[in-house]
Amino acid sequence: MITERTGLIIWVTDLKAAKNLERFGSVHYMSKKMHYVVLYIHASRYDETVRQLQKLAYVRKVERSYRGEIKTEYESHGPDKSKFYTL
């Protein structure tokens, strides 16, 4: 059974303290240059987790990731031109 997950982008002030975010979900990426963390959590606990994250002293802003809503299946409306480029 696959659980529904939601991605969060968490802007932080201190990356050392941001390592504690693993207790809320699975940390996917930590950017040292831009000071943000990509965290995946259970979708059912989204509201309470965001409230808890915003209370932390080292968290500047919490945003929802729209990666799951981006269309990844593409359609080609034109003719296939690959046959013109063969030898």
Side-chain angles (χ1 to χ4, degrees), residues 8-71:
L8 294 175
I9 291 107
I10 304 165
W11 298 90
V12 295
T13 56
D14 185 19
L15 282 176
K16 273 191 177 179
K19 291 181 182 179
N20 293 328
L21 293 175
E22 291 181 350
R23 63 187 169 137
F24 294 102
S26 55
V27 174
H28 180 70
Y29 180 73
M30 293 179 78
S31 172
K32 293 178 183 177
K33 184 177 181 182
M34 295 182 65
H35 294 279
Y36 72 89
V37 177
V38 177
L39 178 76
Y40 284 99
I41 60 170
H42 291 288
S44 60
R45 293 187 271 154
Y46 174 78
D47 294 328
E48 66 182 73
T49 305
V50 170
R51 269 190 253 114
Q52 290 175 353
L53 288 170
Q54 289 174 340
K55 291 179 183 178
L56 297 174
Y58 55 88
V59 173
R60 285 190 292 152
K61 185 165 74 169
V62 178
E63 297 177 351
R64 191 171 66 106
S65 174
Y66 294 103
R67 185 168 191 252
E69 299 173 11
I70 296 173
K71 182 180 171 184

